Amino acid sequence: EVQLVESGGGLVQPGGSLRLSCAASGFTFSSYYMSWVRQAPGKGLEWVANIKPDGSEKYYVGSVKGRFTISRDSAKNSLFLQMNSLRAEDTAVYYCARESRWRGSYRFDSWGQGTLVTVSS
Amino acid sequence: DIQMTQSPSSLSASVGDRVTITCQASQDISSYLNWYQQRPGKAPKLLIYDASNLETGVPSRFSGSGSGTVFTFTISSLQPEDIATYFCQQFDNLPYTFGQGTKLEIK
């Protein structure tokens, strides 16, 4: 069974930093693209970043470029999101999602339960 | 960025009703569209991929159609457990973008 378990969320002051982790199990982690998707309280879903299976390519939504860094450790089956210079508008539940790709078809077919990040003074 | 616009934003229907949600893309995205269900307090769940393909294990009352810029998602016979918010998502171009969601309630 595929499992994704996020951790590392919490309360942080504006301008602060936080590192999120996602522990993956039940599949060959090193074969999949992985993404972070966030959801502000009461709002919709926003894709944040993704990373290639070998970690060689990373992509970000414009609002987090230069502030967030996605990374992975295949030896530990883990995905990370380093968040710096946090702003109030980064407050959200952050989900780790497996991105399945097959013959041009991409989809988020497994999601973690999410971890809440609150940016407030 | 590609904008995804869902309608309606909310919908109230009775058990057994046929329910349809529309998603419009700001540019042609071929069939590069997925649909997700998010029950209250839970993570999203993939229902439909590539506009019309049912994810394994998803009940057949869910279906999707469309291509280009206009897509529809249909529940053929609404069940109480279908109470959720539904999102469309395009994967034609990065950044991936989602519709704002359609909140479905039971009348």
Side-chain angles (χ1 to χ4, degrees):
Chain A
E1 180 195 3
V2 173
Q3 281 204 327
L4 299 169
V5 180
E6 301 94 336
S7 60
L11 175 63
V12 60
Q13 292 189 339
S17 298
L18 213 53
R19 188 189 195 215
L20 306 183
S21 299
C22 171
S25 61
F27 66 102
T28 305
F29 179 73
S30 59
S31 296
Y32 286 84
Y33 278 79
M34 296 295 296
S35 276
W36 288 98
V37 178
R38 68 183 178 182
Q39 186 170 36
K43 302 296 184 182
L45 299 166
E46 181 182 37
W47 173 81
V48 173
N50 72 355
I51 184 168
K52 204 173 176 180
D54 64 3
S56 63
E57 294 180 17
K58 308 171 185 182
Y59 299 93
Y60 301 90
V61 69
S63 58
V64 309
K65 277 181 187 174
R67 300 189 300 124
F68 290 11
T69 302
I70 189 171
S71 62
R72 64 193 297 162
D73 183 339
S74 289
K76 296 182 179 178
N77 288 343
S78 293
L79 178 72
F80 306 101
L81 187 67
Q82 177 67 43
M83 304 186 294
N84 298 330
S85 303
L86 282 160
R87 306 166 180 168
E89 54 264 36
D90 296 317
T91 294
V93 173
Y94 285 74
Y95 294 102
C96 164
R98 188 178 80 169
E99 188 178 327
S100 287
R101 296 188 173 198
W102 178 249
R103 294 182 177 178
S105 171
Y106 301 175
R107 55 221 193 233
F108 300 126
D109 64 351
S110 293
W111 298 67
Q113 84 289 349
T115 187
L116 176 62
V117 172
T118 304
V119 184
S120 175
S121 55
Chain B
D1 298 359
I2 298 174
Q3 305 302 314
M4 306 300 294
T5 304
Q6 278 181 245
S7 60
S9 297
S10 63
L11 178 58
S12 182
S14 299
V15 173
D17 281 356
R18 183 181 183 88
V19 170
T20 298
I21 298 169
T22 299
C23 181
Q24 184 161 357
S26 60
Q27 64 187 65
D28 189 338
I29 59 169
S30 186
S31 295
Y32 299 143
L33 184 104
N34 302 322
W35 289 95
Y36 300 86
Q37 175 194 65
Q38 186 177 34
R39 293 188 171 117
K42 300 296 186 182
K45 174 187 174 183
L46 177 67
L47 298 182
I48 302 287
Y49 64 93
D50 295 353
S52 60
N53 293 298
L54 195 66
E55 174 71 345
T56 301
V58 173
S60 59
R61 65 180 180 274
F62 296 100
S63 65
S65 65
S67 66
T69 61
V70 180
F71 302 84
T72 59
F73 171 83
T74 299
I75 307 173
S76 61
S77 178
L78 186 66
Q79 300 302 303
E81 61 266 31
D82 299 337
I83 296 312
T85 300
Y86 294 84
F87 296 93
C88 60
Q89 175 244 328
Q90 66 81 19
F91 57 90
D92 181 59
N93 272 330
L94 287 173
Y96 302 139
T97 48
F98 292 84
Q100 80 279 14
T102 296
K103 186 174 183 179
L104 182 53
E105 298 174 331
I106 295 286
K107 196 182 290 183

